[in-house]
Amino acid sequence: MNITIYKSFPYQILFLLCIIVSLFANYELTFAIWSLTLLLTIKRKYSAVIIKYSAIFLLILLVAIVSTLFSRTTIFLFIRDFTYLVKPILGLLVGYQLCRFSSKLGVKVLVYSGLAIAIMHLAMLLIAVIQFRSLSVNLLREHGGYFSDYEIYILIILIFYKNLKLEIPKHQRILLIAIIGLSSFLYLARTNLIQFIILYLGLKGYLTLNKKSLKVILFVILATIVGYTAIVYINPKREGKGIQAFLYKIKIAPQEAFKTKIDKDDWKDFNDNYRSFENIIAVNQVSAKGNRAIFFGEGLGSTLNLGRKVWTNDHEYVQYIPIVHNGYMTVFLKSGILGVIFLLIFLIILYRQRKSDFGNVQAINYLLIGSSVFLIVSNWVFLGLYLKLDNKSIIIGFLIALREVMIREHNSQKIIKNEY
C-alpha cells in the first residue's frame, strides 16, 4: 500500500500545533513553538500588507526598548517583556508563512483545525464533569478554558461557507456547526458572544458604513440595550449557578471595565471590577512619573504595583504585574501614548480594506474588517493580540496570505480565459 504525503501536510500540522499550543497556559512553550515555526517556514517574498502590519507592532516594541534606556530593570524582566511585545509580530508572520495551500484547501485547514480544538475542549469538559461531578460554570471554565476566539471564526466561516467557497457536504457542515457551536457555547464567554455578533455583521457587510448598515447597527444596539435591561430586571446573583452565573457576568460587564471608583477593601467590589482597578493604577502610576513616561512609557521590564497581593489564574499571589487585562493600558505602560497611537493606527488600517469584485476575496476582507472592530473590544478587556493565550494574530496573518492566494487564482483563471 502506497502512502502519499502531500507537500502541504507539514504546514497543516504546524498550523494546528501553533493554534493548539496557544490555548494552554504555558507561554514559554507557545513562544518557542511559534519562533521555531517562523524559522522553519520563511518565505522568499512577503507582501507589503503583512510587512506594514508587522512594522506597526515593531514600532511599539522599539519605543518600549528606547524607553528602557531611561529606566532600571533586570535582564530577565527585559527579555520577558520583549517576548510579550513581539508576540503579535510572531503571530502575523507565522500565520502568513503557514498558508501554503490552494484557497480551497486553506479554508478547510482553518475549519478542521477548529473541529480538532472543539473536540479537545468537549473532551476536557467531560473529564472535568466526571472527575468533580459538578456542572459549576467556574469549574468548567477553569478546566476547559475561558474562551476560544478561533472557534468563533470557524463558526462564522461555516455559516458563510458559500461566500468563502468552502466545499464540504451539507450534512458534514451541519455536524461541524453543531460540534463547534456547542463547544463555543460551553465557554460561556461574553467576549466570544460579542465576537460572534461583530463577525456576523462583518460578513454581512454591515460594518462598512452606509445607510443600510447604520440602520442595522442601530437595531443591534437597541436590541442589546433591551436585552441588557431584561437581564438587569431578572437581577442574577453573584452566587448563582449555571446560566445565572453567566448572566451575572453580563450584568456587571459595563461597569467592570469602565468603573472609576473601586473600594479595594470590599472584596466583591474589588473582584467584580478588577479590570477597572488595573486601569486606574496604570494611569496613576505612569502619570506620576512625568511627561516622558506618559508619552513614551516606562519601557520593557516595567511592572504595575497593585499595592496588594492578588490571586491570579496562574495560581499564585502577585503584587507587581508586567501586563494588565487592558491591551491599551499595557501598551501605555510600556510605550506610552505614542505606543497606543500606533496600536490605534493598526486597527484603522486593518479596518480599511479595499473592495473586491471576487466574492471569496471580499469575504476575507469582511472578516478582517470584523476582526478590527472586535479588536477594539478585545484590547479593552483581554489584551487583544498581546494576550498570552491569543491566536488571532495567526488567524489574521493566515487570512492575508489566503486572500493573496485567492487573487492569484482569479488572475490565473482570467489569463486562461483570455487565451481561449
Side-chain angles (χ1 to χ4, degrees):
M1 181 177 68
N2 294 325
I3 299 176
T4 303
I5 298 179
Y6 295 99
K7 290 182 179 180
S8 64
F9 183 71
Y11 296 103
Q12 297 177 42
I13 297 300
L14 280 174
F15 180 80
L16 179 60
L17 178 62
C18 286
I19 295 296
I20 288 178
V21 73
S22 66
L23 301 176
F24 296 96
N26 189 331
Y27 182 62
E28 292 79 5
L29 181 61
T30 299
F31 186 81
I33 289 178
W34 284 22
S35 299
L36 182 60
T37 301
L38 180 72
L39 295 174
L40 292 176
T41 60
I42 293 175
K43 282 186 173 183
R44 292 181 180 179
K45 294 181 179 179
Y46 293 82
S47 68
V49 174
I50 194 65
I51 292 173
K52 179 169 59 179
Y53 289 175
S54 302
I56 294 172
F57 287 102
L58 180 60
L59 287 172
I60 295 173
L61 175 60
L62 290 176
V63 172
I65 290 174
V66 172
S67 295
T68 309
L69 300 176
F70 302 92
S71 306
R72 297 180 63 182
T73 186
T74 65
I75 294 176
F76 171 77
L77 294 178
F78 178 90
I79 293 174
R80 182 185 64 185
D81 278 6
F82 180 88
T83 63
Y84 289 162
L85 293 194
V86 83
K87 186 175 185 284
I89 304 172
L90 262 183
L92 288 169
L93 293 177
V94 165
Y96 185 83
Q97 293 178 185
L98 285 177
C99 186
R100 307 287 183 105
F101 322 106
S102 66
S103 61
K104 291 181 180 179
L105 180 57
V107 177
K108 287 183 178 179
V109 168
L110 286 170
V111 169
Y112 289 118
S113 296
L115 175 63
I117 292 169
I119 291 173
M120 285 178 55
H121 177 231
L122 292 174
M124 288 190 291
L125 290 180
L126 182 61
I127 292 170
V129 169
I130 294 173
Q131 182 179 355
F132 298 99
R133 297 181 181 181
S134 172
L135 293 175
S136 163
V137 170
N138 292 332
L139 178 70
L140 294 180
R141 297 190 75 202
E142 181 180 354
H143 291 273
Y146 293 95
F147 66 96
S148 178
D149 294 345
Y150 188 90
E151 290 176 62
I152 301 299
Y153 273 98
I154 304 310
L155 263 184
I156 293 295
I157 289 173
L158 289 168
I159 292 171
F160 292 92
Y161 71 101
K162 289 183 179 179
N163 304 56
L164 288 152
K165 297 184 178 180
L166 173 62
E167 298 179 356
I168 58 174
K170 182 179 179 180
H171 68 276
Q172 189 178 118
R173 184 172 62 87
I174 293 173
L175 180 62
L176 286 169
I177 289 176
I179 294 173
I180 298 174
L182 176 62
S183 173
S184 300
F185 172 76
L186 290 177
Y187 283 103
L188 294 172
R190 296 165 295 175
T191 50
N192 280 161
L193 176 60
I194 294 171
Q195 179 192 4
F196 179 85
I197 294 171
I198 290 174
L199 292 183
Y200 185 88
L201 292 173
L203 264 292
K204 280 289 189 179
Y206 294 144
L207 295 181
T208 53
L209 298 180
N210 52 53
K211 287 185 179 180
K212 184 178 180 180
S213 66
L214 285 174
K215 289 179 182 178
V216 172
I217 291 171
L218 287 173
F219 174 79
V220 171
I221 292 173
L222 180 62
T224 302
I225 293 172
V226 171
Y228 179 74
T229 303
I231 291 173
V232 172
Y233 179 78
I234 294 170
N235 194 26
K237 302 300 181 182
R238 193 178 197 280
E239 301 79 14
K241 297 180 179 180
I243 295 298
Q244 191 175 84
F246 177 61
L247 292 178
Y248 177 77
K249 296 291 286 183
I250 293 177
K251 186 183 79 169
I252 66 172
Q255 69 178 35
E256 183 182 4
F258 296 100
K259 196 171 183 182
T260 56
K261 292 184 179 180
I262 298 167
D263 183 0
K264 62 182 180 180
D265 295 320
D266 180 341
W267 70 271
K268 287 185 180 180
D269 190 34
F270 181 79
N271 282 284
D272 285 350
N273 303 290
Y274 176 69
R275 284 183 172 88
S276 289
F277 176 77
E278 287 182 333
N279 296 341
I280 294 167
I281 296 296
V283 171
N284 290 341
Q285 176 178 305
V286 175
S287 299
K289 295 191 176 181
N291 290 333
R292 186 195 59 77
I294 292 173
F295 286 103
F296 304 108
E298 296 183 23
L300 300 181
S302 56
T303 57
L304 196 67
N305 183 3
L306 297 176
R308 61 187 297 179
K309 290 185 179 294
V310 298
W311 183 251
T312 69
N313 289 334
D314 295 326
H315 303 290
E316 60 179 346
Y317 283 102
V318 296
Q319 179 175 338
Y320 298 89
I321 56 176
I323 54 177
V324 298
H325 283 82
N326 190 312
Y328 304 109
M329 288 299 169
T330 296
V331 172
F332 178 62
L333 174 65
K334 309 296 180 182
S335 304
I337 290 176
L338 183 59
V340 175
I341 291 172
F342 285 136
L343 182 57
L344 294 174
I345 289 173
F346 168 76
L347 296 179
I348 293 170
I349 293 176
L350 185 62
Y351 176 83
R352 295 171 61 85
Q353 300 295 325
R354 293 180 180 178
K355 189 174 182 180
S356 174
D357 295 328
F358 306 132
N360 54 348
V361 174
Q362 186 58 35
I364 296 293
N365 289 341
Y366 282 151
L367 262 179
L368 292 174
I369 290 171
S371 298
S372 70
V373 175
F374 174 60
L375 278 170
I376 296 173
V377 179
S378 178
N379 272 301
W380 189 263
V381 299
F382 240 2
L383 270 170
L385 302 185
Y386 287 107
L387 181 66
K388 290 186 283 185
L389 300 174
D390 184 76
N391 49 45
K392 287 189 292 296
S393 55
I394 287 184
I395 298 170
I396 292 171
F398 191 94
L399 290 175
I400 292 167
L402 185 61
R403 180 177 62 184
E404 293 170 9
V405 171
M406 290 174 175
I407 292 172
R408 285 198 297 268
E409 290 174 349
H410 283 295
N411 290 337
S412 297
Q413 289 172 6
K414 276 186 177 180
I415 294 172
I416 293 171
K417 285 181 181 179
N418 290 335
E419 288 180 350
Y420 290 93

